[in-house]
Amino acid sequence: MAKIKVGFDIGGSSMKIAVVKGDGCRVETVRLPDNLTDENGVTMPNAFSQFLKQTVKELHLPRGGAALALPPSQVICRLVSMPEMNREQLMMNLPYEFADFIQGAPDQYFCDYAMCERLPGDEDGSMPMMAAVAGKRQLEEYIKMFARGGVKLKKLVPQEMALIELCRARKDGPKEFCFVDLGHQQTRITVVLGDRVQATRRLAVGGRELDLAIAEELGVDAFLAGSYKMARHRGALAVAALPELCEQLAVEVLKVVNFYQFTYRASTLPGVYLVGGGAAMEPLRRAIEETAGLTLLDPAELLPTSGGTAEDGIFAAGAAMGGV
């Protein structure tokens, strides 16, 4: 019998769940109650646990170990290069690579790494790796919070590593992938090359700005406007201000992609994967293709045969596919 793996991804306004079994993947997107999360993560752990317990029951999620893709506010993950050394020396020196993030004693943080294959341009005698650091207390809180909701977390990974796991599972085709993640608070652009994140950029605009524009024209609050947007209800995607906002966002995305291709002249990006809560919005997709002139690739091609919205489940699926 094929092993079932479950992955979770907590966003600013919704939670994505991927159930991977053999060659199949089911993706679920659940709208979070208002004020349950913010840009720093979960604000009310006990309330989230109750919501999670209810969600597990309603969606008939399988029991067993699960994986969580950690939000960027809770973990720093980046490509680093260190001189050749043994594991003991590496673990002793790794915290200093994150001196700008760590506050307090290094033993309050958990560090981990994944070695990368060497590429042309890597320095001789160096060890390229994807390294990450997160606060131990925060990781323990996530484990307890999910346990109270009836879910046993056995794996916690940065979203960057979830993307890498997803890309590595693709055995054929290009080895360079560009993801444009339209989140609630911000938009993140991530380029994965093989087993490393080659470039990343954050834009201080996200789905919330679109929600506010819809809310103002329809005369509703932002939470309800977000629900209308996701359900394509009451002409939410036809409000006058939406095309201009989408075009502005598309131009910013194009600037980042152009800069990346200028910096890495060997780039062969075939297009971009639009993911996240706003990925299915037709005005945004049209602006990316027409205003920015970028080819939109189908995120579903990176997943096993899927049910649900592939754009929403990328991080959750990547966390689950790496094993738990």
Side-chain angles (χ1 to χ4, degrees):
M1 181 178 294
K3 184 178 180 181
I4 299 174
K5 304 174 183 178
V6 183
F8 291 85
D9 170 36
I10 305 171
S13 62
S14 63
M15 179 169 63
K16 295 82 175 178
I17 306 164
V19 181
V20 179
K21 181 179 181 182
D23 294 330
C25 177
R26 171 168 63 102
V27 174
E28 303 281 357
T29 300
V30 183
R31 188 75 189 273
L32 294 170
D34 205 11
N35 299 321
L36 195 60
T37 61
D38 62 15
E39 64 272 14
N40 295 315
V42 176
T43 57
M44 296 181 286
N46 290 330
F48 177 85
S49 296
Q50 291 301 315
F51 177 78
L52 177 62
K53 183 181 294 186
Q54 179 182 349
T55 300
V56 169
K57 181 178 180 180
E58 291 178 351
L59 298 181
H60 304 288
L61 298 180
R63 300 291 181 174
L68 172 66
L70 292 169
S73 60
Q74 305 298 337
V75 59
I76 298 295
C77 180
R78 62 191 183 200
L79 177 68
V80 302
S81 182
M82 300 185 68
E84 292 184 353
M85 61 185 73
N86 60 39
R87 176 176 171 78
E88 182 179 356
Q89 293 171 323
L90 176 60
M91 295 307 295
M92 184 180 300
N93 287 278
L94 199 54
Y96 296 100
E97 293 291 323
F98 299 96
D100 56 343
F101 174 78
I102 290 179
Q103 299 178 353
D107 62 5
Q108 296 176 339
Y109 294 83
F110 176 76
C111 291
D112 203 359
Y113 66 94
M115 301 300 298
C116 299
E117 294 182 8
R118 295 187 59 81
L119 295 178
D122 289 337
E123 295 184 7
D124 293 337
S126 66
M127 300 191 307
M129 68 189 74
M130 291 300 302
V133 62
K136 289 181 179 179
R137 179 177 296 179
Q138 182 61 65
L139 298 183
E140 292 169 356
E141 182 59 38
Y142 272 116
I143 293 172
K144 293 177 182 177
M145 187 168 60
F146 270 76
R148 290 194 298 266
V151 177
K152 184 177 182 180
L153 283 183
K154 297 184 67 176
K155 176 184 175 186
L156 297 90
V157 297
Q159 289 185 350
E160 291 88 344
M161 292 306 300
L163 288 179
I164 289 174
E165 292 282 8
L166 198 68
C167 296
R168 291 176 64 181
R170 184 173 180 180
K171 302 302 181 182
D172 56 352
K175 298 299 181 184
E176 192 177 25
F177 308 82
C178 180
F179 297 90
V180 179
D181 174 24
L182 181 69
H184 190 60
Q185 301 286 346
Q186 61 184 0
T187 296
R188 291 193 305 144
I189 302 172
T190 305
V191 180
V192 175
L193 177 60
D195 57 3
R196 63 178 69 186
V197 170
Q198 190 74 354
T200 184
R201 175 76 181 276
R202 299 183 186 184
L203 304 176
V205 59
R208 178 164 177 78
E209 279 70 23
L210 306 181
D211 292 349
L212 291 173
I214 295 171
E216 182 175 355
E217 183 155 331
L218 298 185
V220 297
D221 62 46
F223 181 81
L224 189 56
S227 299
Y228 287 163
K229 178 186 70 180
M230 292 176 65
R232 300 176 178 85
H233 180 58
R234 281 191 57 181
L237 301 186
V239 302
L242 214 55
E244 183 177 353
L245 283 173
C246 290
E247 288 178 7
Q248 291 174 358
L249 181 57
V251 169
E252 293 303 314
V253 171
L254 179 60
K255 289 179 182 178
V256 175
V257 172
N258 283 345
F259 180 77
Y260 167 75
Q261 292 180 319
F262 176 79
T263 304
Y264 300 96
R265 297 301 180 90
S267 171
T268 57
L269 277 177
V272 301
Y273 292 97
L274 192 59
V275 302
M281 287 183 55
E282 187 55 38
L284 179 60
R285 300 180 66 85
R286 187 163 56 249
I288 294 286
E289 288 186 303
E290 297 178 2
T291 302
L294 296 171
T295 300
L296 289 182
L297 305 175
D298 186 1
E301 68 185 24
L302 300 177
L303 301 179
T305 304
S306 62
T309 306
E311 293 92 344
D312 284 351
I314 287 294
F315 297 113
M321 289 173 66
V324 294

